[in-house]
Each structure stands twice: as structure tokens, then as C-alpha cells.
Amino acid sequence: MRRIVRKRQLSENVFQFVVEAPHVAKAHRPGQFVVIQLEDEFSERIPLSVADWDPEAGTITLIVQVVGKTTRMLSLRREGEGIAHVLGPLGNPTDIEKVGTVVCVGGGIGTAPLHPIARAFRRKGNRVISIIGARTKDLIILEDEMRSVSDELIVCTDDGSYGRKALVTEPLKELCEQGDVNEVVAIGPPIMMKFCAETTRPFGIKTVVSLNTIMVDGTGMCGGCRVKVGDEIKFVCVDGPEFDGHLVDFDGMMRRLAAYRPMEQEKDHRCKLELVGNERRGE
Amino acid sequence: MEHRHISDDVLYSKEELDRRARELLSDLEGRTLRNKERLAIPPQPMPELDPVVRSRRVDEVTLGYTETQAKVEALRCLQCKNAPCIAGCPVSINIPAFIRKIVEGEYKESVDIIKETNLLPSICGRVCPQEKQCQEACTVGKALKDPLKAVSIGRLERFVADWEREHGLYTLPPVKPDSGKKVAIIGSGPAGLTAAVDLRREGHTVVIFEAFPKAGGVMVYGIPEFRLPKRLVEDEIRHLEDLGVEFVYDFLVGKTRTLTQLLEEDGFDVVFISAGAGLPKFMGIEGEDLVGVYSANEYLTRTNLMKAYDRERADTPILPSRRVAVIGGGNVAMDAARMALRVGAEEVIVIYRRTEKEMPARREEVIHAMEEGVEFRFLTNVKRIMGDGEGKVRAVECLSYRLGEPDASGRPRPVPIEGSEHSIEVDTVIFALGSVPHPLIRKTMPEVAVSERGTIVVDEHLRTSHPRIFAGGDVVTGAATVIEAMGAGRKAARSIHLLLSGELPPPKEAGTS
């Protein structure tokens, strides 16, 4: 059992957990992720990105958006309670080199894993320009953290309730047109990463995306996370999670991500009904 | 509802089989039997659940011998002086001796004889391919000119192991005093567990690192509940814990800690890598990324380890299927096909390039699959997978094959017949084409040399290119059997113990560095 030592609600559906996981904390690098399982029996395994880690304290920070039953159940966990299993660090670390100017683009919850990557690029001596976006003001997370690791920060909202009223691709395109962008890292919903890659493609700028596909084991044993990159089938958990955004078959990936949606919705719906029932009974 | 197929349409219950065994036994018991009389005793059939009932449930299919059946079967053993069966067993169980104890009704003594060399008899008795090992060599099968009529050594092994557990008589082997040495074992499959027991008995501290939350390797994620109930594996793991073996879960060596860290920082004297061959093979054909295409590893991990067969309680989903194509002819293909029925598929079709005769799956499992209604298309292979326009599987396009000249494996080579394209409508495709050692070995364990196939290279002591790292099981051989992995675990444990006692010869290249 991995104990939750701190919990904070970042927005209506987004929660931050600091979890005791000394082995993971010691070995973790930017770009890697963990797989968690809430309970021993019947719980599913889900991949989560790691927003931060502290080797001294032996803790990792997870930022979780409620999208279904498992994330909903996790969001209800309190400080002092725990997560049955945390496996990690998984996947390959981000390749952090000194390249010049790096644009870091974060969409919604994708800003969480982006933050340590931006920080590492900055520490390596790069000029870091960050663009973070969300549907609306309340869904912008880690603004201060991103500002502190960026030379410049651009905040966008779809509805214009905060920062610039734009999709993240707009300022990204402007930066590409201005000319001195050496590398782009985009993390967020698949559709956002797809359009970031389309934005940079005409400029021939290296664009790294971090894929969050369906996973079961997270160790390369099943291929549930496979995705087409160029002409090859890759396993996101061991070959990734980061790939060349210009080669990823995002449409195929989004189809596979949607495969279980009816079942997921059914589970989440029943979970919500149960929670309401428990509340009525005063549990 | 416990029945047994004897011939095409006759079913016998467990009670009926026991009654027949009783009649036989009353004639045989107390007499000194001549070999001719022993050979005349009919082989005892295994009581099994009715195929129609069991194909929709995950309960164990085979029910185990009754005590009377076990005694009758044990009387078939000729107690050969040269005991060819022992040579056929990868861990050299003293087979005639444990069978003799069954005849004498000394079941605890019987299982203790097995446990001198095999600590997982209730598992091996169920999943070993005995017909290719101990039973292949059996004199009775040879005398009757039918290997299927050999003494059912596996079923007898299972009987005494189950008897011991059900009667609460389980005993742990003795452990020598603490040696002060520490061994890390990577992976808790059959190779790792066997090595752990042997090393622990020598008094060494043994820590098993496992990536999954449960120990057992393929015994928990691969082999389904209906062939190997998970409570048996859990029991065995508990025995190992009682013996003092420590388990660390959610720990991926190479990622969570490196081999070097284990040896240089964490105080381990030796590492044994028994991480298996877990990377599934795909064919590289069109349509493999469609929704509804699974590796057998994923399908079985979801349904078995994550219990997706229990749709009510399990959070892990499995796609609902109507018609399923399973590609391959090994045990994993049979497991996936039979599991697909149990999670609700209406039709399951196994597609195999060669004929029934060449199938690598155990005969018993093929028969079980056929009884449960799995269809087989032999001399057929998939050319591409066709989608429905929304990215979901609609059908598989297949080619017919004929058998050609023998290939390197000695089996006839399947040759595609030009122009024989035909399609089979399915909504799910499961690839069961075997698996290869994990790419993480090459990527995260630079300390050990690997072959072109990705397997770890070892010497005759199962030592890798690093003098304090050993390896065994599928990670060395590629996908093989549970018992072969156990044999490797035993051999590695012996070498490691010799190294820790300062008696293992130094590696050949030792002088050159």
C-alpha cells in the first residue's frame, strides 16, 4: 500500500496527490510515468504521468483528472489512505539536449508531465517558451510552476475566460513563423497533439509528443498500448511514451482509445449511482 | 453436472468412474500382481465437468482422481528398475517410489517423495506436458503401443498434492542456518520460484522482485483459471513466504532499480534473472491496429489476471465478441480460444497453418477445446485483417496452405496456395504466435550479453557474461514449458550455491580482463 501524504484539489475535476513511493522517486526521470492499481482484486491498472518527485522525501506527485470510474474512486481517496500498487518509473525518459529554443505546449492535464520536462530543458540551458491551454479558466493548472521554469509563458483558453482566446496551435504557429524554434514538446489530449504536429510539420521543426494510450501491464508484455509510428507498430509503454509527432498515426490511436468507451461510461455511471446511494445512507 | 466423455455420446459421472474403479480395486487389492495383470488394468479416465456447462464458466475443467481411481491407476505402474520415466522428468522426481506409496495408501509419504525434487506438484501435475516428458518414456505406454495409455503420472502427482492440501497436512522443507549471503531473483515465474526455494533451503537470504502485484508469472496471467486455479498458485506463494522468501511487488528491475544497483548498492551477492519471454509476436500484416485485435498475452492478462471474465466486479473491460479468430496452434492459442467462449463469444475459430497432427498444443487441451465447441481451420493462415470503416475488425482474409518439405524444426513447411484467398467474418482477432524475450532486457540490462534473438547468453552453469549474474527459464531458451523453467531454476540455484560457497569454477574469460 502506497500512502497518500498530501491531497489538493486543483479544479473541479482535477486532483493532486503526493504519494509515498521511495523506489519510484529515486529512479524517476522527466517523461516517464507510473501504472497504478487502487485495490488488489478487481481494480484495473491505469497509467498516470508523474508531475514531480522528491527522492529525499521518497514521494511522487500525481495529477489526476476524473474521467471515469477509477479516476473517480482515486479522487475520493483522502490523505493517509493509500493506493494498493504503484509501478514505475516506466517508459523512456525525455531526451534533454541543449538545442536552443524549445517550445513546450501543454493541453489541460498534459501540463502536469510537461512541467518537469520544461524544467529540465531550462536547466540544460535552453530558452523555454511555454504555451498552456485549456477549455476554460478553471481548467488551467500549474500556471505559476510553468512560469517559473519558462522564459516566456502564454496562457490560452478556448472560451477566452483567461489569457488569450485561442487554441494552443495559434501561438505555436506564430512562434514557428518568427523562426527561431528548434524543438517542440506537446503533451495533452490526442487531438491537440495531432494539431500541434500538423502546425509544426510545414516548418520541419522536431516535434515530440507523449502518448497516453490504453495500457494494461505497462511493461511491454501485452501490446495493448500499440500505436503506428511511421510504418512500424510501437509499444508506447516500452518504446515511448514519447515519439516523433510527425510520424504518429493519431487517428488510429484515437480509435483504439475509444474502443472501450461504452463499457467505461457504464462502469462510471454505476459508480456514481453507488456513490450517491452511499451518501444517502450517510456513509 | 460432472461428466466425462468416454466415447462420442456416452457421459460418465465422477461417481460412476469411482464405482468402476472400486470394482476393479476389489479384484486387485491385496494380491501380488504380475506385470501382465498390471498391463491389463484399464487407464483411469479423468473426471471432468460437462463440456456444455464448463465452456461458460471459469471453474477448473478437470476434477482430479478419486482416491480409488488413484490407487487403481497406481497399480498400473510396473515399478521398472531402470525407471525411464525419471529420465523424462526435467526435475527427476522419483516416480516409481511416489507411485508405490499411493498403492500403499501412504499419500503424505508419497507427496514428500515428490517434494524432495519438486516443490510445486499440484501445479506441475496440472500443467506439465507429461505425454512429452515422463509419460512418453513410460514402459506401460510402450508395452501397450499407445503413449496415451502410459501410467498417468501427472494425475497421480496432482492427486497426492491435492490430498495433502485438502487434509491440511502441508509441511515445509527444512531450512539451513543463515549463510549471510543475499540473492536477488528477478521475476516470480516457475524458474524464479524454484530457484528461490532451493537457495532458501541452503540458508541464503532470497528476495524476489516482481513487476506485477501478484507472484507466479505465466501461472497467474497466462494459464487460465479453468486449467490452473489461482488459489493453488497463491497457496504455493504463501508456502514460499513461510519458508522465508521475501517478495517485492511492483518492482521492474532495469527501471525501478538496475542490476548494478542491486549488486553494488543494495548488498546482493548474486542476481538470478528469470524474467521470462513476455513480448508478444504480431505478424506485421495490414489491419493489426484495428479495434478488436489482441495479442493472446493482452487477452489473457485482461481476462485472467485482471479477472475481466467477472464483468460485474472487475474494472478491467474486455470487448464483447460474437465471432473470434485465434491465430496459432499452441497451448496459448487453446487457452485464448477457450477463454473467449467463457467471456461470451458465440463462435471461436482457431486458424492454424499446419494440420491437427503438427499442433504444438497439448493433445488434452485440443480435445477439451473441441469438446467445448471451438472450431478449427487447419492449413489456413491470415493474410490481412479487414476493418469496417470505423476502425473495427470486420473479417480476416485468409490463404489456404498445403504441407511441403520438412523445415529446420523437422515439421513439414506450410506452403501458401496461390489464389486461395477467402475471408472469414469475425469481430475479434487474437494472435497467439508465441512470445520472445523482452526488449527491456537488451535496453536496461547492459551488464548481460544477449543473443540475436534477444535471449540472455549463459554458460553451462547458467552464468551470464557477468560473473555474479545468472539467468534461466524462458529468458534464456525462449518460450518453453513451466517444468523446463523449473528445471532451469533448480540448476541455477545449484550453480549459485556453489558460487556462494566458493566452489564454482571461475568463468572462462576471467583471466582476460
Side-chain angles (χ1 to χ4, degrees):
Chain A
M1 185 65 86
R2 301 296 180 186
R3 207 165 62 89
I4 296 165
V5 292
R6 267 197 310 285
K7 176 185 176 183
R8 194 155 69 94
Q9 186 159 7
L10 301 185
S11 75
E12 191 191 344
N13 278 322
V14 179
F15 297 81
Q16 184 185 64
F17 293 95
V18 178
V19 180
E20 268 177 5
H23 285 302
V24 184
K26 216 182 275 180
H28 200 86
R29 299 287 172 272
Q32 294 186 296
F33 62 96
V34 293
V35 164
I36 68 144
Q37 189 176 331
L38 284 182
E39 303 285 350
D40 275 309
E41 297 291 319
F42 300 114
S43 277
E44 64 179 342
R45 295 164 69 83
I46 60 163
L48 290 177
S49 27
V50 173
D52 214 341
W53 57 99
D54 183 342
E56 305 288 301
T59 58
I60 59 172
T61 303
L62 305 173
I63 293 181
V64 184
Q65 182 171 19
V66 176
V67 291
K69 180 183 173 184
T70 299
T71 43
R72 185 175 307 283
M73 295 306 288
L74 176 55
S75 75
L76 296 170
R77 296 268 148 120
R78 289 175 289 219
E79 289 181 2
E81 294 180 334
I83 300 170
H85 300 282
V86 177
L87 171 67
L90 300 174
N92 299 309
T94 311
D95 194 11
I96 308 276
E97 297 292 332
K98 184 163 181 201
V99 293
T101 299
V102 179
V103 178
C104 293
V105 192
I109 194 92
T111 307
L114 185 69
H115 171 244
I117 294 171
R119 184 173 60 193
F121 271 113
R122 185 90 178 290
R123 282 182 187 160
K124 197 83 182 180
N126 292 285
R127 178 165 161 254
V128 172
I129 304 174
S130 296
I131 306 169
I132 60 173
R135 231 170 347 99
T136 184
K137 183 184 177 192
D138 293 343
L139 300 176
I140 294 286
I141 58 166
L142 302 178
E143 185 188 345
D144 293 342
E145 287 84 348
M146 285 305 289
R147 197 180 305 280
S148 71
V149 298
S150 309
D151 295 274
E152 192 185 327
L153 176 75
I154 303 163
V155 183
C156 309
T157 50
D158 296 5
D159 63 358
S161 53
Y162 187 62
R164 212 172 134 174
K165 182 178 192 300
L167 298 174
V168 289
T169 44
E170 263 186 46
L172 176 62
K173 189 173 178 207
E174 290 161 13
L175 289 167
C176 291
E177 282 165 346
Q178 284 164 22
D180 63 343
V181 178
N182 301 91
E183 187 170 334
V184 173
V185 181
I187 308 181
I191 191 79
M192 168 233 147
M193 293 192 283
K194 174 182 168 170
F195 282 106
C196 284
E198 288 315 316
T199 303
T200 59
R201 191 191 299 275
F203 300 95
I205 298 167
K206 178 183 173 184
T207 301
V208 174
V209 293
S210 179
L211 305 184
N212 193 352
T213 50
I214 287 173
M215 284 188 194
V216 185
D217 61 291
T219 65
M221 215 195 68
C222 82
C225 63
R226 66 193 188 279
V227 65
K228 227 188 214 168
V229 180
D231 292 330
E232 286 178 277
I233 295 274
K234 296 280 187 189
F235 288 9
V236 172
C237 69
V238 287
D239 299 319
E242 294 179 355
F243 294 98
D244 179 345
H246 295 148
L247 295 178
V248 171
D249 171 15
F250 283 103
D251 295 338
M253 174 186 152
M254 285 187 271
R255 273 199 303 270
R256 286 181 61 81
L257 266 172
Y260 297 92
R261 201 146 290 159
M263 277 166 271
E264 288 162 357
Q265 283 166 348
E266 157 77 14
K267 281 275 175 206
D268 191 32
H269 181 66
R270 277 168 43 189
C271 171
K272 277 192 266 188
L273 287 179
E274 234 167 78
L275 291 171
V276 170
N278 290 346
E279 225 163 74
R280 288 214 182 106
R281 284 195 300 275
E283 284 170 25
Chain B
M1 294 300 281
E2 294 166 1
H3 294 108
R4 159 76 190 168
H5 268 291
I6 296 294
S7 64
D8 286 349
D9 46 12
V10 189
L11 294 169
Y12 291 98
S13 68
K14 185 167 181 170
E15 289 68 34
E16 174 64 13
L17 291 173
D18 189 56
R19 193 186 61 73
R20 287 163 176 244
R22 250 173 235 286
E23 277 174 23
L24 278 166
L25 192 61
S26 64
D27 285 348
L28 301 167
E29 224 171 10
R31 292 199 290 127
T32 310
L33 298 175
R34 284 174 297 133
N35 279 357
K36 212 176 146 193
E37 289 172 288
R38 289 182 190 275
L39 288 173
I41 303 171
Q44 293 298 294
M46 184 64 130
E48 289 168 358
L49 285 179
D50 179 87
V52 176
V53 174
R54 74 185 191 222
S55 69
R56 300 291 166 183
R57 308 201 311 218
V58 293
D59 304 57
E60 189 173 19
V61 163
T62 55
L63 301 167
Y65 277 159
T66 66
E67 188 176 341
T68 319
Q69 277 192 295
K71 276 195 169 173
V72 173
E73 186 67 26
L75 283 171
R76 300 182 64 233
C77 173
L78 304 178
Q79 296 290 322
C80 309
K81 287 273 173 301
N82 60 343
C85 50
I86 299 180
C89 172
V91 294
S92 309
I93 295 173
N94 189 345
I95 292 164
F98 97 77
I99 292 182
R100 191 165 54 234
K101 289 293 173 194
I102 296 177
V103 172
E104 293 166 6
E106 300 290 348
Y107 307 125
K108 176 62 184 157
E109 286 178 32
S110 175
V111 74
D112 283 344
I113 291 170
I114 298 175
K115 282 171 25 181
E116 283 167 17
T117 52
N118 177 4
L119 222 57
L120 307 170
S122 63
I123 292 171
C124 289
R126 284 171 167 83
V127 302
C128 280
Q130 291 99 4
E131 67 277 11
K132 290 176 188 160
Q133 296 173 336
C134 53
Q135 289 173 204
E136 186 179 51
C138 171
T139 313
V140 173
K142 293 228 153 76
L144 297 173
K145 297 192 171 54
D146 183 352
L148 294 176
K149 289 185 177 158
V151 176
S152 289
I153 299 166
R155 293 171 179 178
L156 291 173
E157 179 183 25
R158 168 182 167 167
F159 170 77
V160 289
D162 287 356
W163 186 91
E164 180 193 41
R165 193 182 54 255
E166 283 154 17
H167 288 76
L169 295 173
Y170 192 91
T171 46
L172 290 173
V175 170
K176 289 184 187 161
D178 187 6
S179 69
K181 304 284 186 186
K182 267 177 86 176
V183 182
I185 294 182
I186 317 303
S188 67
L193 294 181
T194 306
V197 170
D198 287 3
L199 288 163
R200 182 68 201 119
R201 288 167 82 170
E202 294 293 345
H204 307 305
T205 297
V206 178
V207 183
I208 299 187
F209 294 99
E210 169 56 49
F212 271 145
K214 286 180 186 167
V218 74
M219 299 184 290
V220 293
Y221 74 75
I223 302 174
E225 182 74 20
F226 56 81
R227 278 217 287 142
L228 179 63
K230 300 309 150 218
R231 64 182 164 79
L232 295 181
V233 184
E234 284 161 17
D235 278 351
E236 298 297 1
I237 302 305
R238 209 166 311 122
H239 297 147
L240 262 64
E241 286 171 346
D242 292 344
L243 209 60
V245 174
E246 190 189 330
F247 289 82
V248 178
Y249 296 102
D250 309 312
F251 197 105
L252 186 61
V253 174
K255 291 282 185 186
T256 312
R257 297 290 277 167
T258 65
L259 292 175
T260 306
Q261 285 172 324
L262 292 175
L263 287 170
E264 307 303 328
E265 295 171 27
D266 302 342
F268 288 98
D269 298 287
V270 178
V271 175
F272 176 53
I273 305 172
S274 48
L279 183 81
K281 278 199 249 179
F282 286 89
M283 288 173 80
I285 56 174
E286 186 188 328
E288 273 177 1
D289 58 339
L290 290 169
V291 171
V293 180
Y294 287 101
S295 72
N297 276 10
E298 180 182 358
Y299 198 81
L300 289 169
T301 301
R302 282 178 180 271
T303 49
N304 206 39
L305 181 76
M306 309 309 292
K307 298 186 163 62
Y309 60 75
D310 192 336
R311 286 186 194 270
E312 278 301 304
R313 289 193 286 174
D315 290 340
T316 303
I318 190 85
L319 289 176
S321 307
R322 206 174 66 74
R323 278 167 65 90
V324 179
V326 179
I327 322 297
N331 284 320
V332 176
M334 297 304 103
D335 288 343
R338 297 171 69 196
M339 188 57 101
L341 285 177
R342 284 158 172 83
V343 293
E346 289 166 29
E347 287 175 78
V348 179
I349 304 153
V350 169
I351 294 174
Y352 180 55
R353 300 190 295 167
R354 295 184 170 96
T355 72
E356 189 174 345
K357 210 177 99 214
E358 288 84 25
M359 285 180 82
R362 290 190 70 189
R363 189 69 204 144
E364 182 179 283
E365 305 310 330
V366 178
I367 291 169
H368 279 154
M370 286 176 170
E371 285 175 351
E372 289 166 11
V374 172
E375 289 172 48
F376 288 79
R377 301 279 169 94
F378 295 110
L379 292 169
T380 307
N381 203 5
V382 176
K383 196 181 159 195
R384 66 187 176 107
I385 306 165
M386 296 182 283
D388 64 357
E390 288 173 15
K392 292 183 185 147
V393 173
R394 175 176 65 80
V396 281
E397 185 177 70
C398 297
L399 270 179
S400 298
Y401 279 63
R402 62 180 173 79
L403 291 184
E405 296 301 306
D407 63 12
S409 75
R411 294 182 301 175
R413 196 166 57 89
V415 186
I417 299 170
E418 257 182 69
S420 66
E421 282 87 353
H422 58 284
S423 69
I424 304 173
E425 276 187 35
V426 292
D427 53 25
T428 306
V429 177
I430 305 172
F431 284 108
L433 305 165
S435 53
V436 290
H438 209 283
L440 278 183
I441 304 276
R442 203 189 285 266
K443 272 190 200 166
T444 67
M445 300 185 179
E447 299 88 342
V448 297
V450 294
S451 73
E452 267 175 36
R453 293 192 304 143
T455 52
I456 297 182
V457 180
V458 294
D459 67 9
E460 71 272 27
H461 306 291
L462 298 187
R463 174 158 37 193
T464 68
S465 54
H466 186 292
R468 287 198 287 144
I469 302 176
F470 294 71
D474 286 2
V475 77
V476 167
T477 58
T481 63
V482 167
I483 190 74
E484 283 171 277
M486 290 176 56
R490 164 138 307 135
K491 188 175 171 191
R494 202 176 306 128
S495 303
I496 292 168
H497 178 60
L498 288 176
L499 176 80
L500 294 174
S501 325
E503 288 167 38
L504 191 73
K508 281 182 186 132
E509 288 84 356
T512 60
S513 59

